[in-house]
Amino acid sequence: MSSTVSKSIWSNFSKRSQSLSLKNKALKTALLSPDLPFGPASLKKRSSKAQYNSPIGLSEIYPLAYQILEQESVDCYKRIEKIESKISTTQDQTLKEELNDLKQQLLVDAEINNPEVIYNANYATNSLDRTQPVYRHYLKEQWKSYSRMLTMQRLESLSVIPDTLPTLDPQVDVQLKFPHNNVERWIEPGTLLSSNATCKPPLLEIVEFKESKNDLYTVLMVDPDTPDLTNDSFSTTLHWGLKDVQLSNEDPIIDAKKLVENPDYEFIEYLPPVPEKNTGKHRLAIWVFRQNEKLSNVTETSREFFDIRKFTEDHNLVPIGAHVFRSIWDRNTENVRETYGLPKGRIFTRERL
């Protein structure tokens, strides 16, 4: 690494996390060397590297810009120290929360222009340390630029909103996949899945963009397309119900292992989608709620004719995220029904008048 690049706060990890640095030494050297002595890392051929010439003036401008940005970071950390001192002495809980919010924002400001952080945020998104506010900031911006809009578009175009709940102001990124069949891919909202793919519970990841330490969550998976012949309409079936699920920035996953270790999380066991023949595509909506306290009086919740709006009102739950996939009858559906001890599905036909 060139000695002309400042070695101040961004090189000091006594109080900063090592995750704010690049692990790959070669990349780090290339990123922080103003004159790129070996050429850009994108150049693979030795001849190309030998012919490379750094842009005129870069070796003078880069260290100066780095030094200015690093000094801004130093100033932010000085303000953070003063705020931490105030937090430790104040007894006012409201003031503590305000000061902590300010501290979180300053932690973002202190690292947002760090070249190593920027590189990690753009090229190592799957391994980011989500306990660091600056990485959560970058993840949130990426989510808002695409995934958030896609999810809302699917929820509204498929009429999950308002057929289940009236509205949603997304605060978290809800991702799901079904790893039991070795398909290690995240499901895009609105995807039509086979009965084999959904025969076992999904793995859920709830990505918080705020500081999260052991927050509690409720998850409801509902199908609003269950035929109701008595009323010549449709009813909602609760396919899965989780409560008091403890998650954090470090541990955002709900999987089979966690449910086995915490059997109290599941108040309604997972029932896979098993649409009856000729009932069309069923929407399976996964709603996520952040709890203020532990839920009570949910053991008597009925799976059939589930009223999700009443449930959320009774338990003071406000949705913070959602996902949706679809299911339709296929040749494997009856096998899934048999596995779960369900009666044979009906076959619906049109009546000719």
Side-chain angles (χ1 to χ4, degrees):
M1 188 187 307
S2 173
S3 59
T4 57
V5 174
S6 174
K7 292 184 178 180
S8 181
I9 189 69
W10 286 342
S11 299
N12 184 352
F13 296 98
S14 59
K15 294 183 179 180
R16 297 168 62 249
S17 171
Q18 287 284 349
S19 65
L20 297 171
S21 175
L22 263 175
K23 295 180 181 179
N24 188 304
K25 291 184 179 180
L27 275 176
K28 187 170 183 176
T29 299
L31 185 68
L32 299 183
S33 296
D35 51 357
L36 295 174
F38 306 107
S42 58
L43 296 180
K44 304 300 180 184
K45 293 182 179 179
R46 185 177 297 178
S47 58
S48 299
K49 292 180 179 181
Q51 295 173 9
Y52 176 80
N53 290 315
S54 180
I56 297 174
L58 181 64
S59 57
E60 291 79 24
I61 295 299
Y62 186 87
L64 179 61
Y66 189 96
Q67 186 177 358
I68 292 171
L69 294 173
E70 196 172 31
Q71 183 56 49
E72 290 179 356
S73 178
V74 170
D75 295 340
C76 284
Y77 277 110
K78 287 179 180 178
R79 290 182 63 189
I80 289 169
E81 288 180 1
K82 293 178 181 178
I83 289 172
E84 288 176 335
S85 177
K86 289 181 181 179
I87 291 175
S88 62
T89 56
T90 185
Q91 300 298 319
D92 187 331
Q93 189 61 35
T94 303
L95 180 58
K96 270 189 177 182
E97 292 176 1
E98 292 176 355
L99 288 171
N100 188 62
D101 289 343
L102 179 57
K103 174 188 170 182
Q104 295 295 313
Q105 183 56 52
L106 285 171
L107 285 169
V108 173
D109 296 341
E111 300 289 347
I112 197 168
N113 293 314
N114 183 341
E116 295 177 74
V117 167
I118 294 172
Y119 184 93
N120 286 335
N122 282 282
Y123 301 106
T125 53
N126 292 330
S127 58
L128 290 180
D129 178 5
R130 294 177 188 170
T131 64
Q132 299 302 311
V134 68
Y135 287 140
R136 296 200 301 270
H137 167 81
Y138 275 112
L139 286 172
K140 185 176 183 179
E141 292 304 306
Q142 292 168 10
W143 170 68
K144 286 167 62 179
S145 69
Y146 181 72
S147 296
R148 183 183 188 273
M149 294 188 291
L150 176 66
T151 299
M152 289 302 297
Q153 187 270 336
R154 299 294 163 83
L155 291 172
E156 292 174 349
S157 65
L158 294 173
S159 298
V160 172
I161 296 174
D163 287 356
T164 53
L165 289 177
T167 189
L168 171 66
D169 179 16
Q171 299 173 33
V172 299
D173 185 13
V174 180
Q175 301 183 30
L176 72 86
K177 60 183 174 182
F178 292 87
H180 65 270
N181 56 5
N182 296 320
V183 181
E184 288 293 330
R185 64 180 179 88
W186 296 108
I187 305 300
E188 183 177 291
T191 300
L192 183 64
L193 299 176
S194 70
S195 60
N196 180 57
T198 61
C199 66
K200 292 182 181 179
L203 178 150
L204 292 174
E205 183 174 18
I206 299 172
V207 182
E208 280 277 13
F209 303 110
K210 69 173 188 65
E211 185 179 27
S212 177
K213 296 179 179 179
N214 300 322
D215 286 335
L216 299 179
Y217 298 84
T218 294
V219 178
L220 302 175
M221 177 175 153
V222 298
D223 174 4
D225 298 317
T226 305
D228 178 5
L229 298 184
T230 303
N231 297 305
D232 193 22
S233 183
F234 296 92
S235 65
T236 297
T237 299
L238 176 59
H239 279 259
W240 202 23
L242 306 176
K243 68 175 181 66
D244 305 334
V245 181
Q246 197 172 79
L247 301 174
S248 65
N249 295 130
E250 292 179 281
D251 180 21
I253 299 292
I254 303 174
D255 58 6
K257 181 174 181 285
K258 181 168 289 184
L259 295 178
V260 169
E261 293 173 349
N262 302 275
D264 292 341
Y265 285 172
E266 214 172 31
F267 67 92
I268 292 289
E269 291 184 356
Y270 180 76
L271 177 70
V274 282
E276 294 174 297
K277 193 171 183 179
N278 297 331
T279 58
K281 296 172 184 175
H282 288 230
R283 299 161 295 170
L284 281 300
I286 295 91
W287 287 95
V288 176
F289 310 83
R290 194 187 297 123
Q291 299 173 208
N292 295 320
E293 58 186 5
K294 287 197 171 186
L295 294 195
S296 58
N297 303 322
V298 296
T299 54
E300 300 301 320
T301 303
S302 173
R303 186 190 294 278
E304 307 297 332
F305 296 96
F306 178 66
D307 189 340
I308 186 172
R309 296 196 183 197
K310 185 177 187 303
F311 184 91
T312 56
E313 289 173 4
D314 290 346
H315 297 284
N316 195 29
L317 296 172
V318 177
I320 58 170
H323 201 290
V324 61
F325 65 91
R326 292 180 292 167
S327 180
I328 193 171
W329 182 92
D330 59 37
R331 293 180 180 181
N332 187 59
T333 301
E334 292 305 322
N335 294 331
V336 177
R337 281 181 169 273
E338 186 176 341
T339 300
Y340 280 81
L342 299 172
K344 195 171 182 179
R346 298 167 292 181
I347 299 176
F348 287 76
T349 57
R350 289 181 179 273
E351 289 188 1
R352 294 183 179 275
L353 300 178

